[in-house]
Amino acid sequence: MVDATGALSTDSWSAVFHDAVDGAVLNTAMWTSAVTTFAVAQAGRVITLNSAGNASANAHANITSVARFKKVNGAPLRLRKPIRLAWYAGAQTESGFGVPATTAAITDGVYLRVGTTGLVALVSAYNGAEVTKDLGNFTDLGLNATRVYMLDLVIRDDRSQLILREHDAAAVTEPTPVIDTTLMYGSAQFSEYN
């Protein structure tokens, strides 16, 4: 990787949050949740936010880490986690940095969104204003609700990068990304320097 000036990045990554997802219930010391109508289940080291596949309008399940993560100038903020994108028409899913509130869009954060029509986007939101990079349609990208993907989201001072790979624990080499994109913040857009 290179930094914002094009020089080799000397980032040293330090984990500040990790949940091994052990047991059968959400760890309330690590997560807060807000659930309406949906059922949340935890099994086999996976948290499923709509385990019954409910399609009711205005239903939702949100989990948010108790820990908060501050973006410091000059240092990247990285999220790496396995996810399953169990999307269906009319549903919206967002995964990344931000604080969700019921069914409303995240007003501050950077995240991967699969919208109600299946449009996949990298979103950066500040105070309700969104800058998005459309990545294509869920089906056209070859995404599958039964597969597990490794989400890698890096926020830097002037950009956000999203890499999504199919997760294959038996793979000898890292799979080719399904998505590998960068959302640059222009001078007219929000950033830590504006």
Side-chain angles (χ1 to χ4, degrees):
M1 287 189 187
V2 296
D3 66 16
T5 65
L8 286 178
S9 176
T10 57
D11 302 333
S12 57
W13 304 101
S14 298
V16 293
F17 180 83
H18 173 75
D19 182 4
V21 190
D22 291 328
V25 295
L26 199 63
N27 182 343
T28 56
M30 298 184 92
W31 301 101
T32 60
S33 64
V35 180
T36 300
T37 307
F38 284 173
V40 175
Q42 181 171 312
R45 302 189 78 155
V46 173
I47 301 169
T48 305
L49 298 183
N50 185 9
S51 60
N54 193 312
S56 300
N58 298 315
H60 71 279
N62 302 323
I63 63 170
T64 306
S65 65
V66 172
R68 296 292 184 250
F69 311 101
K70 182 177 179 172
K71 171 67 181 84
V72 178
N73 289 339
L77 184 60
R78 179 183 187 195
L79 169 68
R80 184 173 172 88
K81 70 176 195 165
I83 63 172
R84 182 175 286 128
L85 297 169
W87 176 84
Y88 53 88
Q92 179 162 296
T93 181
E94 295 168 335
S95 188
F97 291 100
V99 180
T102 65
T103 59
I106 295 171
T107 57
D108 294 291
V110 177
Y111 47 90
L112 171 67
R113 173 189 288 155
V114 182
T116 58
T117 63
L119 184 64
V120 180
L122 174 56
V123 180
S124 184
Y126 178 71
N127 201 25
E130 293 184 352
V131 177
T132 63
K133 184 169 187 179
D134 294 338
L135 305 173
N137 185 278
F138 186 87
T139 306
D140 296 341
L141 289 168
L143 298 173
N144 185 315
T146 64
R147 294 186 187 138
V148 175
Y149 297 91
M150 185 58 71
L151 172 69
D152 210 350
L153 179 61
V154 181
I155 304 171
R156 295 185 180 278
D157 296 338
D158 62 345
R159 72 191 81 178
S160 296
Q161 181 180 14
L162 171 78
I163 301 171
L164 188 70
R165 291 183 174 87
E166 188 170 343
H167 182 61
D168 181 357
V172 176
T173 60
E174 195 166 55
T176 303
V178 176
I179 298 170
D180 186 350
T181 192
T182 300
L183 174 61
M184 298 297 296
Y185 306 139
S187 60
Q189 296 166 343
F190 56 85
S191 77
E192 293 185 79
Y193 303 114
N194 289 346

